[in-house]
């Protein structure tokens, strides 16, 4: 699942993920993502940190509290990660950080956990 309020920032990773043989589901905000997560299971979630309404950090915290949210790989997908903030992202429940601009190689590395 790719959660980002800007459609362009969902398009590129979605295309790369689909071309790699996986399904990509897009959500425009955290509220929609949590609705999907309450009924569906996802292996990996790319989650923007700065969205209107619920921030990516709040979405991640709520996701981790869901019964199907513990085994999901959650990746912060942002242009605004600074070294001091990375510890806070781990504490919030993120597994990895993907900093824009992204490359296909970087995306595949964080998605597969390699």
């Amino acid at each position: 699942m790719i959660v980002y309020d800007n459609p362009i920032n969902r398009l590129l990773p979605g295309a790369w993920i689909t071309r790699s043989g996986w399904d990509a589901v897009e959500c425009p905000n955290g509220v929609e993502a949590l609705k999907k997560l309450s009924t569906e299971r996802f292996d990996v979630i790319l989650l923007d940190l700065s969205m209107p309404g619920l921030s990516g950090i709040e979405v991640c915290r709520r996701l981790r509290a869901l019964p199907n949210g513990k085994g999901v790989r959650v990746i912060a997908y942002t242009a605004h990660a600074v070294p001091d903030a990375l510890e806070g992202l781990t504490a919030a429940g993120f597994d990895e950080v993907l900093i824009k601009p992204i490359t296909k190689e970087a995306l595949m590395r964080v998605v597969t956990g390699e």
Side-chain angles (χ1 to χ4, degrees):
M1 176 189 291
I2 304 161
V3 185
Y4 214 105
D5 59 320
N6 182 327
I8 298 297
N9 290 322
R10 295 190 308 262
L11 182 67
L12 184 61
W16 284 339
I17 287 169
T18 301
R19 286 184 192 139
S20 294
W22 298 315
D23 293 327
V25 173
E26 297 181 18
C27 285
N29 59 58
V31 172
E32 292 297 317
L34 288 171
K35 283 180 187 175
K36 284 192 180 296
L37 288 163
S38 69
T39 60
E40 298 177 50
R41 187 187 181 296
F42 295 89
D43 296 320
V44 180
I45 299 171
L46 295 180
L47 186 54
D48 179 22
L49 297 180
S50 302
M51 294 181 289
L54 292 176
S55 72
I57 291 173
E58 183 59 27
V59 172
C60 187
R61 286 185 180 132
R62 292 183 187 191
L63 160 69
R64 293 300 189 202
L66 294 172
N68 61 349
K70 307 235 185 315
V72 178
R73 186 165 172 70
V74 183
I75 301 160
Y77 175 35
T78 184
H80 306 291
V82 293
D84 294 343
L86 296 181
E87 286 181 24
L89 295 175
T90 302
F94 287 93
D95 296 297
E96 189 86 50
V97 177
L98 181 62
I99 299 174
K100 295 185 311 181
I102 66 170
T103 63
K104 183 178 181 182
E105 293 75 23
L107 175 67
M108 291 300 113
R109 181 186 54 78
V110 297
V111 166
T112 60
E114 295 177 0

